Amino acid sequence: MENNLFSGGPDVSAAYDYRVYDRVWQRVAPGVDPYEGAPAAGADAPQAPAGPVQGAPASAAPAVPAAPAVPAAPRSEISPAQEDTLPGAEQDPCCMGTAARESLEVLEGFIQEELAGCRCCQSLSCKVKNANAAKLLRRIAAEKRCAARDLCAAYFLITGTQYAPAITIERKCWENLAQALRSCYHQEACNGFNYQRAADGTTDVCLQKLLIRLGEQAYRRAEEVQALLGCLLC
């Protein structure tokens, strides 16, 4: 029997001669399409399913780029007038406030008096020959300088401005050391009295405490000058 599977010549393989397969399939099942359901040529890789796969996560929406960060505006400077309107700011503080403004002229007088007395005692301490007197006068000068600084600080707390005193020094000449110490005694005693009187005349608690303290210091210095004067005279 002649073999009809090869009709394309000796060089053509039956595995690729689909015409031979067609004639054979027409004899076996003439009503069935032999290529129905066969994959298309060149479709070796499996195709991705058209619909979503069960259990697969849903595709996320495309990310929206974040808006660029806006730099913070620089902090503006706060004026002194705006500080009074800030939360917690006191319009009339309980200390060194409105009540103390009534004593501003008194404070100015005390500042000038303490600075003038400081220079006077410092100059006198360089002229006396008694060591104890010179030491006491230098200490009095230092304390009076500190008192003037405390008074200037109080003036600034009350007004918010710095006080620039105009000091005039009266040149005094004494016959001897005893006369000079007598002048210092009266100056300190009068200062103590004036401090006490100014403290009684103000209703500001903090200013009153300052004036009382400075008055006590002035009285103490007057007592020390009196004690030294007693040693020189007797």
Side-chain angles (χ1 to χ4, degrees), residues 4-14 17 19-20 23:
N4 295 327
L5 295 177
F6 299 93
S7 62
D11 298 333
V12 180
S13 172
D17 194 353
R19 291 175 300 175
V20 177
R23 290 195 296 269

Side-chain angles (χ1 to χ4, degrees), residues 149-174:
R149 292 174 179 173
D150 292 340
L151 292 169
C152 286
Y155 188 93
F156 181 82
L157 290 174
I158 297 170
T159 63
T161 58
Q162 184 177 359
Y163 177 67
I167 306 173
T168 57
I169 302 178
E170 180 182 358
R171 296 185 176 274
K172 297 182 180 180
C173 296
W174 296 279

Side-chain angles (χ1 to χ4, degrees), residues 12-90:
V12 180
S13 172
Y16 297 97
D17 194 353
Y18 293 102
R19 291 175 300 175
V20 177
Y21 292 148
D22 292 342
R23 290 195 296 269
V24 174
W25 190 266
Q26 289 296 330
R27 295 177 184 175
V28 177
V32 180
D33 186 0
Y35 300 106
E36 182 180 2
D44 297 336
Q47 300 294 327
V53 181
Q54 179 110 13
S59 59
V64 179
V70 179
R75 183 179 181 270
S76 59
E77 296 294 336
I78 300 177
S79 62
Q82 293 174 338
E83 290 182 353
D84 296 337
T85 61
L86 293 177
E90 297 184 10

Side-chain angles (χ1 to χ4, degrees), residues 177-201:
L177 178 58
Q179 292 293 339
L181 293 178
R182 178 175 180 269
S183 177
C184 290
Y185 170 84
H186 285 295
Q187 182 182 11
E188 295 300 326
C190 290
N191 285 346
F193 174 77
N194 290 330
Y195 277 127
Q196 294 293 337
R197 186 172 59 178
D200 295 338

